[in-house]
């Protein structure tokens, strides 16, 4: 066993930089992006790496991939395609709590495959909140509008909804009896000033069941966004960091791409989605699935019918599908198809038609299609007619739209992670860390992976996901090479488990967004999140030990890992 005296000056300097950066990330004393710049000036000062070498680590292939994806995401948000998809799926499900829960989870999962978890949650939650307004507050027994000459009583105003998240205004339709319809069908409820709120009544609900529905639906959006993000390699920042680090550390390993990741993770997504739906339903709505999931019109209550009518009206407000929406949807599908068919593995992909191999990546596709979004006009061209309107040539998205959506902090954070990893390899620190892991050689491989997954699942509840994976990737790679475990057998499950930071509001941004709506407390998040965490851990461990072995050839120690190990030791 090595000890600290075996440290070379370069290894000690690199370890110091790693610790300083990790402390800043964990404490968040400065923004995560700012902390990621620490290697950019400390590595050259301590002689670990040249300044030009460090700078090259901050802009990689994954950055281009992210930029292309953000172009499509910006168009989705700008033209409300996400709202159309969400409302359409809710209309298909109806207003029964169980079906509504499943529908919103499916919709959020699909969106989160292509958009960031944070964006997806921020886009879907206002729709969920509007539905909850109708489902919970439109009690048929409560007279919102009294007889002629009477005003709306204070008791009829919604309580416990839309009070904490500061929406500008929420439009609510109350439909009671025929007289009420004729008198007033639409009122505008403005959120009260937080200073005027009475804390004792801020979270009142008409019944415990109504409160449970609000808790269940809002928390499920955060969990579904996390599950959906696991499905594609561009779904979360953690998977992007893993992909770029893996490709840099093992340049000869051509086993992880969009297609192989999707084939592995899509079954995980489906299983987790179903199990999470059952868990959330049982925890908050009980076991009466027959009643909460019935699609029969005869069993619908009056307020459920009113809620469905409200959703239908919201969908109709969107009008017919616009030309920019159709273009965005087409590019959305085309991007996924080109990613899948580039190098599918079981048949030659479209990249095989080119003479030079290895020049085209998933980033090539996303950047090309993203560039076209700036080129194609938002207004359908009319050939043969001259349009004098200057705005008719405005593109689908502008640079301002892109800037508003592009997460530059994540780009710098990811670059800082690459710089740290490069320093660890150059200085020999990663090899030293690997030698410390020899004591784990007596454990079965699955036990080593399970321990690593449990460790990161605990750490990531308190430390941001990108920071956690950036810290652990070099350590786990060195450990896998030392123990002669296929690195993917450890790295893939750990990457996925880092995303399961669902027990606390600080765990990830979707949690914070949902918590900010005020329907659930910390204890609700811990209780529900623990179940989701355990579900994810079990499903991922089963997946990596079944279809993951055949998909990534995990039962052997690959040549590309041996080459990297020899390079690191030399």
């Amino acid at each position: 066993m090595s000890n600290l005296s075996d440290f070379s000056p370069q290894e000690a300097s690199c370890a110091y930089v790693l610790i300083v950066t990790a402390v800043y990330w964990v404490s968040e004393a400065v923004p995560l992006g700012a902390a990621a710049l620490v290697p950019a000036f400390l590595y050259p000062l301590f002689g670990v790496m040249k300044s030009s070498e460090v700078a090259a680590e901050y802009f990689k292939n994954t950055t281009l991939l992210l930029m292309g994806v953000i172009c499509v995401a910006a168009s989705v948000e700008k033209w409300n395609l996400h709202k159309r998809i969400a409302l359409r799926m809710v209309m298909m499900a109806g207003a029964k709590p169980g079906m509504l829960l499943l529908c919103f989870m499916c919709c959020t999962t699909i969106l989160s495959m292509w958009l960031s978890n944070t964006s997806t949650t921020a886009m879907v939650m206002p729709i969920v909140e509007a539905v909850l307004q109708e489902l919970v507050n439109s009690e048929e027994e409560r007279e919102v509008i009294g007889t002629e000459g009477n005003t709306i009583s204070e008791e009829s105003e919604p309580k416990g909804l839309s009070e904490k998240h500061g929406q500008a205004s929420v439009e609510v339709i109350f439909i009671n009896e025929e007289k009420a319809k004729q008198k007033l069908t639409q009122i505008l409820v403005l959120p009260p000033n937080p200073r005027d709120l009475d804390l004792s009544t801020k979270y009142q609900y008409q019944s415990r069941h109504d409160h449970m529905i609000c808790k269940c639906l809002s928390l499920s959006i955060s969990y579904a966004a996390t599950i959906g993000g696991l499905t594609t390699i561009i779904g979360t920042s953690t998977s992007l960091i893993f992909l770029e680090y893996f490709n840099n550390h093992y340049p000869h390993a051509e086993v992880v791409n969009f297609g192989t990741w999707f084939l592995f993770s899509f079954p995980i997504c489906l299983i987790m989605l179903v199990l999470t739906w059952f868990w959330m339903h049982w925890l908050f709505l009980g076991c009466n699935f027959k009643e909460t999931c019935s699609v029969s019109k005869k069993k619908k209550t009056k307020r459920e019918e009113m809620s469905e009518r409200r959703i239908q009206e919201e969908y109709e407000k969107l009008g017919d599908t616009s030309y920019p929406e159709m273009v965005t949807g087409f590019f959305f599908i085309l991007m996924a198809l080109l990613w899948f068919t580039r190098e599918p593995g079981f048949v030659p992909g479209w990249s095989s038609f080119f003479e030079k191999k290895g020049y085209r990546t998933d980033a090539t596709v996303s950047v090309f299609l993203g560039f076209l979004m700036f080129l194609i006009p938002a207004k359908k061209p009319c050939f043969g007619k001259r349009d004098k309107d200057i705005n008719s040539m405005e593109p689908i998205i502008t640079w301002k739209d892109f800037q508003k959506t592009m997460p530059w902090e994540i780009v710098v954070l990811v670059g800082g992670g690459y710089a740290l990893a490069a320093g660890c390899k150059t200085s020999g620190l990663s090899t030293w860390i690997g030698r410390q892991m020899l004591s784990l050689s007596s454990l079965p491989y699955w036990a080593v992976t399970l321990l690593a997954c449990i460790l990161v699942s605990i750490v990531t509840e308190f430390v941001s996901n990108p920071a956690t994976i950036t810290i652990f990737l070099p350590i786990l790679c060195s450990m896998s090479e030392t123990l002669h475990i296929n690195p993917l057998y450890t790295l893939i499950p750990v990457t996925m488990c880092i995303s399961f930071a669902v027990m606390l509001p600080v765990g990830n941004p979707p949690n914070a967004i949902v918590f900010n709506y005020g329907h659930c407390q910390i204890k609700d998040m811990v209780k529900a999140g623990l179940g989701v965490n355990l579900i994810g851990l079990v499903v991922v461990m089963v997946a990596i030990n079944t279809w993951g072995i055949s998909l990534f050839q995990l039962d052997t120690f690959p040549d590309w890992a041996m080459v990297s190990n020899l390079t690191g030791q030399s």
Side-chain angles (χ1 to χ4, degrees), residues 254 342-343 349-361 364:
E254 298 179 355
R342 181 175 66 85
E343 288 179 357
W350 57 262
S351 63
S352 62
F353 299 144
F354 295 88
E355 185 177 347
K356 293 184 177 180
K357 309 297 180 186
Y359 278 69
R360 289 145 293 278
T361 65
T364 311

Side-chain angles (χ1 to χ4, degrees), residues 422-545:
C424 288
K425 188 173 181 179
T426 302
S427 65
L429 179 63
S430 58
T431 305
W432 183 89
I433 293 173
R435 290 197 296 266
Q436 314 311 305
M437 302 293 178
L438 287 172
S439 58
L440 298 175
S441 58
S442 58
L443 295 175
Y445 291 167
W446 65 266
V448 174
T449 301
L450 180 61
L451 286 174
C453 288
I454 293 173
L455 176 62
V456 297
S457 295
I458 295 171
V459 172
T460 196
E461 292 292 347
F462 307 97
V463 183
S464 72
N465 296 355
T468 303
I469 193 168
T470 303
I471 293 168
F472 277 93
L473 275 176
I475 298 172
L476 294 174
C477 280
S478 299
M479 180 191 74
S480 300
E481 292 166 8
T482 303
L483 301 180
H484 278 71
I485 303 173
N486 188 316
L488 288 175
Y489 186 73
T490 304
L491 296 181
I492 291 178
V494 164
T495 300
M496 290 192 157
C497 286
I498 284 175
S499 294
F500 299 147
V502 293
M503 290 174 61
L504 296 171
V506 297
N508 58 35
N511 288 7
I513 292 171
V514 167
F515 183 74
N516 194 45
Y517 273 76
H519 299 306
C520 52
Q521 298 175 317
I522 297 288
K523 62 180 181 181
D524 300 316
M525 299 191 80
V526 171
K527 185 167 56 175
L530 180 61
V532 176
N533 224 320
L534 292 175
I535 289 170
L537 183 63
V538 171
V539 172
V540 167
M541 285 303 298
V542 169
I544 201 67
N545 286 288

Side-chain angles (χ1 to χ4, degrees), residues 128-138 158 161-162 170-172:
V128 173
E129 190 71 4
V131 172
L132 289 175
Q133 289 266 6
E134 290 302 314
L135 192 64
V136 174
N137 291 315
S138 299
L161 288 170
S162 296
V170 182
E171 189 180 65
V172 187

Side-chain angles (χ1 to χ4, degrees), residues 7 12 27 44 79 125 218 234 252 261 282 292 312 327 337 345 374 382 418 424 460 517 525 548:
F7 256 18
S27 65
W79 301 107
M125 272 307 294
S218 54
I234 49 92
H252 301 289
W261 181 276
W282 175 82
T292 60
Q312 178 73 35
V327 173
L337 286 176
F374 293 98
C382 299
Y418 302 152
C424 288
T460 196
Y517 273 76
M525 299 191 80

Side-chain angles (χ1 to χ4, degrees), residues 207-225:
S207 68
R208 184 177 182 275
H209 178 69
D210 288 346
H211 194 185
M212 290 297 106
I213 291 176
C214 293
K215 285 182 180 182
C216 186
L217 264 177
S218 54
L219 283 174
S220 297
I221 298 303
S222 173
Y223 303 154

